[in-house]
Amino acid sequence: MAGPFNPELHVDLKRFGAKDLDMCMNCGTCTTICPMSEDSGGGFPRRVIRLVQTGQQKKLESSLDPWMCYFCGDCTLNCPRNANPAEVMMASRRYLTSRYDFTGLASLFYRNPLTEIIAIVLVGLFITALFVFLHGPMVLHRVELNTFAPVKWVELGDWIMAGTLSFFLLAGAVRMTWWTLGRRDMLRVSPMIFIRQIPTFFAHLFTQKRWARCGSHPSLIRWIKHLLLVSGYLSMLTLVLILLRWFQTDHVYPFYYPQRLWGYYATVALLYPTGDFIVSRLRRKEPIHFFTEASDWIFLVMLFLTALTGIMVNVFRVNGFPMATYIIYVIHLAIAVPMLVVEVPFSKWSHIMYRPLSIYLAGVKKAVADSTGKGSDAQALEPAAAA
Amino acid sequence: MVAQTGEKRYSDALVIGGGIAGLQAALDLAEQGYKVMVVEREASIGGRMISLSKVYPTLDCASCITTPKMSAAAHHENIEIMTYTEVKSIVPDGDGHLVTVTRKPTYVNADKCIGCRLCEYACDSEFADSFEQGLGATRAISVAFTNAIPQKAVLQAEYCLSCGLCLRACPTDAIEFDQQPRQEQIAAHAVIITTGFQLNGLNIKPQYSAAQSANIISPLTLERLLAPHGPYGRVLRPSDGKIPESVAFVLCSGSRDRTIGVPYCSRVCCMYSIKQAMLLAGSLPTADITIYYMDIRAFGKGYEQFYQNARAMGVNFVRGKVSHIDVAPPDDLMVHVEMTEESVDCVRRQKHDLVVLAQGMIPQWNPSGVSTVTIGEDGFVATPDLASPCATNVPGVFVAGAAAGPKDIVDTIADAGAAAMVAARYLVRCGSKESAQPGGGRSVRLELAV
């Protein structure tokens, strides 16, 4: 691509899932019906679709609009052309994720799901191999997980993995920030503005509170389920990254002990929403579930299996089945690790970073615009003129 | 005029539908000497056009064009008009067709009725007048409308109280309460379907009907409001009789929309909305008139100039599809639209006193079960041969006007002439040489094998 235009952009987006993109005739019904569009000042979904249709790749890359959409599906239900605007927004997010990622892996995984599956299998095999060749002594008359897989080594592995993931994710975040704040213009922004907006980032990271306002009733319920999922996910991360020494123990605590209760909570908070989302996607009742890309399936199934094998480790351990515990523990890690390694920086889970970051950046932009007295952020609202 | 039940009558051509297309086709055939029967479902011929106020792009009075045609057809020696009659079946029979029609009872002897309307004045039962789109009232026994043809009273049994006031009022004893529906058979050589269109309802799209307001009206209702002989004689909004200060036209509100199954363009809405906006600007000089459009399709001769004139007159054109309409209490309406041509402040809410929905054109009549004529994906009669746009899949059955697809009046009249032409050619090809001579004034007289 040379210059800011890419005539093949709409073809690209179709490979990321926006299959009905060409149907759009830019009537604006979606924008008007969108509960989020006006507050965010974006004029989306129509303008995002327009950017794609007219091949304005640079503008799309510097747009935060796709991240302001939480996919309530109202636009898709109302679209007179069945162009499925919500799916275009979804595909734009996938596309942006792949653009933020400098390695090109995200792009590869999204466009060709088979490569994602191969990557997951490879990482899974690698983890399995590590245990097959490097596991500790297997005590078979009672469960000694910490002898089989010493917690300090597992913890070390955790930290290496977390560091790697954070590196890729942060690299993506930096690219996103650089593009959306107008590249070199970003350097002129006062650091105080960046600092003052930080609470926004964390508020949205933990609560996704905008989502609750999005769309009609089902969206609210979906937000609550998602919140549950996030709490489960964060619980899991905390237990695994920070509290592993306390969590992975051979001592069987009483049922009411916080270590067990917390673990059970995390399990339920992961299993129920993911199971529910899988069923909804199979039933296809709501617009958000009409189309499911391979990346969505992989994400949901892996997360579900991680939680399932996690709780199985606990069941076997508490009930004293040593061999079963060791085997399921290896399977558990052979699922959880590739999920995190592949999904978090390069696929669907990257939204955990990009979504709150986008709201943070929108706040920064607005603060900059207010301080320079330009009125509302005119940059984002430039007319999407036809090429 | 009325034949006995069971008796079979002959006609060269039978036209289904007495609107402008049917009348034009019938006149064109009759002028060539062929006998034509026109079957009309309603009590009067004239179709949709007779209820319109003015026509674009000339702003001629619609009645002034339609009434002479109606009159010419009704008085033509080669044309027989059967009103209040429905077609039950069309069966191919040799070269021609055997058409069975049901003549609905009017409870008035048409031969005796002199159209004096004394029965109508005497009648006590009133109900909403469908010709006035429900805005005015009519009576259980009445002549269909002022310039109806034939000028014969029709009694609508569902509203009749059987009080007998009309019986006493009628000077010619024309009222016959004991009439029954009866079937007639017509052997016709050629059949022309000119059944026209209907609009697809104000409630078809929940985004526009959620308001359930009396002030969201059909364009045909506005035609009546604008007509000089309309229900109020001037433009008032239905809910409270207020003179509207702000009127919105919402284009593409029933067509070009896949969510309601009408993906095609209705072709006439842009132009009649512009026309109505111009007429409104004349009758309500201080009102704000806004047309919300996706793109103005001013395709015909003189149409673009007509559109530009409306702009110059101060009609406000806003590009953007209205996404939904809310009530703005008490009686006003809030229109939500994205201003797609502006750079900032994209979504706008605009309050209007009256909203006109440019509804989609859908076919009035579905021939399935009556004839083997096929319909297209859009529901209109299919015309499979591109080189012969009036021919259906059944030889000898032709279609004209909006029955074959959305058309405006200009195109409909041209189409009806074309259908008459191909029907005449068909009659010549199939009929005896002698009868087919131009100006012979004789019927083809088919001998059908039944």
Side-chain angles (χ1 to χ4, degrees), chain B residues 43-63:
Chain B
S44 167
I45 55 172
R48 296 277 177 204
M49 189 178 169
I50 192 64
S51 75
L52 305 184
S53 57
K54 293 191 170 143
V55 293
Y56 64 81
T58 51
L59 290 184
D60 285 325
C61 150
S63 310

Side-chain angles (χ1 to χ4, degrees), chain B residues 244-263:
Chain B
E245 284 156 17
S246 167
V247 183
F249 290 87
V250 178
L251 297 191
C252 301
S253 60
S255 39
R256 298 177 74 190
D257 193 333
R258 284 166 192 272
T259 59
I260 56 172
V262 185

Side-chain angles (χ1 to χ4, degrees), chain A residues 23 25-33 37-38 41-43 46-47 76-82 376 378 381-383, chain B residues 205 207-208 256-259 263 294 319-324 336-349:
Chain A
M23 294 300 288
M25 59 182 177
N26 282 266
C27 69
T29 301
C30 47
T31 308
T32 321
I33 219 89
S37 181
E38 200 174 8
R46 190 187 68 81
R47 284 190 187 197
T76 286
L77 288 179
N78 284 277
C79 176
R81 296 280 293 168
N82 290 352
S376 67
L381 296 176
E382 260 176 49
Chain B
K205 206 170 156 59
Q207 293 85 340
Y208 299 154
R256 298 177 74 190
D257 193 333
R258 284 166 192 272
T259 59
M294 294 207 280
R319 192 199 175 273
K321 183 163 162 57
V322 171
S323 75
H324 56 294
H336 300 251
V337 66
E338 184 194 4
M339 314 293 278
T340 52
E341 284 187 328
E342 302 191 11
S343 55
V344 282
D345 189 21
C346 321
V347 176
R348 199 158 290 174
R349 291 171 193 81

Side-chain angles (χ1 to χ4, degrees), chain A residues 343-365:
Chain A
E343 291 279 321
V344 172
F346 305 118
S347 192
K348 186 154 176 154
W349 263 18
S350 57
H351 76 267
I352 201 169
M353 164 65 86
Y354 298 141
R355 178 87 70 177
L357 183 61
S358 68
I359 298 169
Y360 167 80
L361 292 172
V364 170
K365 277 177 114 167

Side-chain angles (χ1 to χ4, degrees), chain B residues 136 217 235 268 283 328 336 362 375 389:
Chain B
I217 62 170
V235 179
V268 293
S283 54
H336 300 251
I362 55 173
I375 55 175

Side-chain angles (χ1 to χ4, degrees), chain B residues 95-115:
Chain B
D95 276 342
H97 302 272
L98 193 61
V99 181
T100 309
V101 298
T102 300
R103 310 210 60 172
K104 296 182 281 187
T106 62
Y107 304 103
V108 173
N109 185 325
D111 292 334
K112 288 185 186 169
C113 177
I114 54 173

